[in-house]
Amino acid sequence: MPKDHGIGASSKRREDVRFLTGTGNYTDDINVYGQAYVAFVRSDVAHGRITGIDTAAAEAMPGVLKIFTGSDFEGVGGLPCGWQVTDRFGEVMKEPPHPVLAQGKVRHVGEMVAAVVAESLQEARDAADAVMLDIEELPAIVDMKKAVASSETLVHDEIGTNLCYDWGFVEDNRDAVNQAIKGAAHVTTLELVNNRLVANPMEPRVAVGDYNRAGDMSTLYTTSQNPHVIRLLMGAFVLGIPEHKLRVVAPDVGGGFGTKIFHYAEEAFCTFAARALKRPVKWTSTRSEAFMSDAHGRDHVTKIELALDEANNFVAVRTETYANMGAYLSTFAPSVPTWLHGTLMAGNYKTPNIYVNVKAVFTNTVPVDAYRGAGRPEATFQLERVIDKAARELGVDPMALRRQNFITEFPYATPVAVEYDTGDYHATADKIAEIADFAGFETRRKESEAKGKLRGLGINCYIEACGIAPSNLVGQLGARAGLYESATVRVNATGSLSVMTGSHSHGQGHETSFPQVVSEMIGIPEDQIEIVHGDTANTPMGMGTYGSRSLAVGGSAIVRATEKIIRKATKIAAHLLEASEADIELKNGAFSVAGTDKSVAWGDVTLAAYVPHNYPLEDIEPGLEETAFYDPSNFTYPSGAYACEVEVDPETGQVTVERFSAADDFGNVINPMIVEGQVHGGVAQGIGQALLENCVYDETGQLLSASYMDYAMPRADNVPMVTVDHSCQTPCTHNPLGVKGCGEAGAIGSPPAVINAVIDALHSGGFTHVTHIDMPATPNRVWAAMQG
Amino acid sequence: MSDVTMTVNGKTVSRAVRGNELLVEFLREQLRLTGTHVGCDTSQCGACCVHVNGELVKACTIFAAEADGAEVSTIEGQANPDGSLNVIQQAFQDHHGLQCGFCTPGMVMAAASLLKENPKPSEQEIRHYLQGNICRCTGYHNIVRAIMAASGQEVEGGAIAAE
Ligand code: FES
Ligand code: FES
């Protein structure tokens, strides 16, 4: 029987009630009394020198309070970068300044040049239209290889190059890898593009800055996945506001997918302007602004080589990747193509020699940073595509080739610096064969062929590193922050609990799943436990939600704090029961003395903690509230096997996904319903990347895909039902819940499965010259590939 | 500015509106009915869906003045009179048809219109009907299941849960 509460139950989400009745509290729903509105004047050229900003006409327009330009921000800090990568030669990366409002030059379409604050949004927008920008246009650089080669067109003149870093990993393995490839029996080479994407959470970004003169207190309401991180970065590095004078609130947030991790200029602007004007200042992004100001994702150009011996064992992998940084370094941008990508190049396989080279490049495009999966989808895509290509070249079954090379013994130290604690890749491979009905594929292929369609089956195995991350390790790798998580458990006098967490829910359902954990530990009903998150004023310093870390790291902090609570409550219970602490057991919300019928209810113990009349005051303090900070000792390593079946219309090149199945190993699962939902959503984003989505610039740096008219979001009729299974469970060995994280798997595991399926379909139709199609595999691209 | 009068969720309201004030702005800012969301500026996402005289309308595509005299209903008016979730809302909760909740009001309003027109839609009919509503979180799987369930149809599991 499935459980109906606690760990393992598909508890219905309590947050749904407010979202379903229109009573959620998203940032744009917040209006602060007396607020003014800002409209930004953004550059419509990709690269140019600002020669003049004429605000006179705009200033005279009704309602205008003040127009800000770069000169108002001269003494203000730039947006900081949270990760410093050191290159192959021991040099630190190039880190040009990232101003709030453009200083001297504009470097991408959408960069903010001026800001008009007015009484109403309408007035702000009208006046923004009247600000005259004089920009002397410079040649723009968009193509990464040209950018690296160019010494004339520089995104940042002062650093003398467009190369941010040239990273080698593991540099000491380089010669061994080159040797192994030279001596290999077979080498499969693949050049591919991991297409640039726009995360597109459905809620656009919003920032409301407020300033209270009486207390010299600034408050920022913002659409963030990590309010404490924003407070630290903006307060300490940009505006110079000490943390105790700055509060950041991220209320209900309508999806993030990585793009709401970063500290953005608009947040700093609204906070700054509110202080300058002594008025609240609000900005709500339009979708068009979002396309040109939210950090983009992916955008890698890669060459990968896979070397095999005579027996088809993998002997070496060598990659060379160009990774687009855009015009400025977004908060975590440098870490994505390096430590979140290179470390995953072993995949599920015992390849002994691996070398990864990444050149990070500045271009005149919007900054690129983490998007669901962040580095790991790029690693998986290369590896799983090149393995499929190798299988075809060698005439072997692609799953058999994978299985032969699977890592089977754990813990396993890869040649790319990580140690997988647990996994069972054969188990998920077996499971995918079952749930995707490999046995019935040939019949389905015949049915498709009878309709004049080509059918293909694509598989993919993935591993990811989640539960980000051990602070001391990432510190050595260049992180400028710790990556622990925090929790405060406050037990109220009558026994209910408030759990203050540094994690942040923007769709993940923490308000439901976190109480399941605490309820299981204490034995009180889930509805007695409230989750508080998203406000720096009432949560302990925490790093927020990304990298599939909330349960593995944030949940572990909650476990640790709850353990402290139980320890103290046990002491109180022992006193009340006049028994020895060692004999006290907590079960189903009551403390009892082992082997007797003496017991005291949870609520009586908690009441005693706050009304300490009969209480061991000489030994312990009154009250029942504990905080824990949890720093993981390793990453977690979810893994799995995915299968996709597509139909290709040979007349048009149109690809439709007919079946999609996912067999994941997430370790232990707290709420299966939520886990399955995470996989569904990730898979849809992966199918979107593989078939639909593409963020495109022309060579002058104009953004061609700047609205939902041009950027193809997956819609309900583009994606199939997804069969998901998470019954293969090898619990994580180093966190108290044994959980691994599930938020990104779908987006990591699906793109290679889709493209492998498309190639398989084309081969079945005799188009055997097609060895690769870059994403998105649009009808145009597929048809062109078929024509040769 | 002109004066408009309309019925919103059963209550008559009169307000002065700008000529270019969209219905969605009017609902959100003047009436503070913030359940109706804005997810785009090209009438593509459906987060703003409401009913105007019983028809499904993207509230970012019409001016408030055009709704003068109309009956408008929004997500805030969908629950049962006793405040409990209506059949569609309940099905969305039961089948995990929402994650971040931002697209959800539009989805619920669209689903209500669909079921009025087609009380027992097939999976394909549901997917086709929802073309104008983008959800970035759910992959639509559970939205489709929720709408099937709300229409009283058997819902295929689709998911194989762990023991
Ligand atoms: S806001 Fe109306 S369709 Fe997007
Ligand atoms: S639930 Fe987040 S966009 Fe649909």
Side-chain angles (χ1 to χ4, degrees), chain A residues 598-639:
Chain A
K598 279 168 63 179
S599 79
V600 55
W602 171 256
D604 293 328
V605 173
T606 63
L607 191 64
Y610 289 96
V611 188
H613 296 161
N614 172 17
Y615 193 88
L617 283 166
E618 56 291 348
D619 293 332
I620 45 175
E621 296 170 7
L624 203 45
E625 174 167 330
E626 298 287 351
T627 294
F629 285 77
Y630 179 83
D631 204 287
S633 59
N634 191 354
F635 294 90
T636 63
Y637 300 95
S639 61

Side-chain angles (χ1 to χ4, degrees), chain A residues 13 201-203 254-255 257 506-507, chain B residues 97-104 107 134-138 143:
Chain A
R13 298 200 331 165
M202 292 317 298
E203 177 202 31
F257 313 114
H506 29 279
Chain B
L98 62 152
Q99 292 183 21
C100 79
F102 198 78
C103 72
T104 307
M107 289 288 178
I134 306 177
C135 174
R136 193 53 150 171
C137 298
T138 64
I143 292 177

Side-chain angles (χ1 to χ4, degrees), chain A residues 12-13 20 26 28-29 31 198-199 202 287-288 676-677 681 685 693 709 714-717 719 722 724, chain B residues 18 20 28-29 32 39 41 44 89 93-94 96 99-102 127 131 136-138 140-141 158-160:
Chain A
K12 287 182 200 170
R13 298 200 331 165
L20 283 161
Y26 298 89
D28 192 44
D29 302 342
N31 281 342
V198 185
M202 292 317 298
R287 183 60 59 184
S288 302
E676 286 155 20
Q685 290 183 350
E693 298 178 38
M709 312 291 277
R715 301 191 184 236
D717 55 356
V719 288
V722 178
V724 300
Chain B
R18 300 187 323 269
N20 66 354
R28 287 184 56 82
E29 296 300 330
R32 295 302 287 151
D41 45 10
Q44 290 276 316
Q89 292 168 317
Q93 188 189 29
D94 290 348
H96 191 28
Q99 292 183 21
C100 79
F102 198 78
R127 289 186 182 276
Q131 264 190 346
R136 193 53 150 171
C137 298
T138 64
Y140 306 99
H141 181 113
I160 302 167

Side-chain angles (χ1 to χ4, degrees), chain B residues 5-79:
Chain B
T5 299
M6 63 183 97
T7 312
V8 179
N9 299 331
K11 278 197 209 111
T12 305
V13 295
S14 296
R15 294 283 192 287
V17 298
R18 300 187 323 269
N20 66 354
E21 187 164 326
L22 299 171
L23 178 59
V24 68
E25 294 176 82
F26 174 77
L27 294 170
R28 287 184 56 82
E29 296 300 330
Q30 297 232 34
L31 304 186
R32 295 302 287 151
L33 293 171
T34 53
T36 303
H37 294 153
V38 179
C40 74
D41 45 10
T42 51
S43 308
Q44 290 276 316
C45 76
C48 62
C49 282
V50 298
H51 296 160
V52 178
N53 296 327
E55 298 285 317
L56 184 65
V57 167
K58 289 180 170 171
C60 71
T61 60
I62 72 168
F63 295 118
E66 291 175 81
D68 191 23
E71 294 240 8
V72 176
S73 60
T74 71
I75 190 67
E76 287 90 346
Q78 298 303 299

Side-chain angles (χ1 to χ4, degrees), chain A residues 39 64 124 173 243 250 266 272 280 538 576 580 651 704 721 734 781:
Chain A
V64 172
N173 295 352
E243 279 121 310
E266 294 89 349
F272 177 88
N538 58 16
L576 295 176
S580 145
E651 303 288 318
L704 302 181
M721 288 303 204
H734 57 78
R781 285 184 178 181

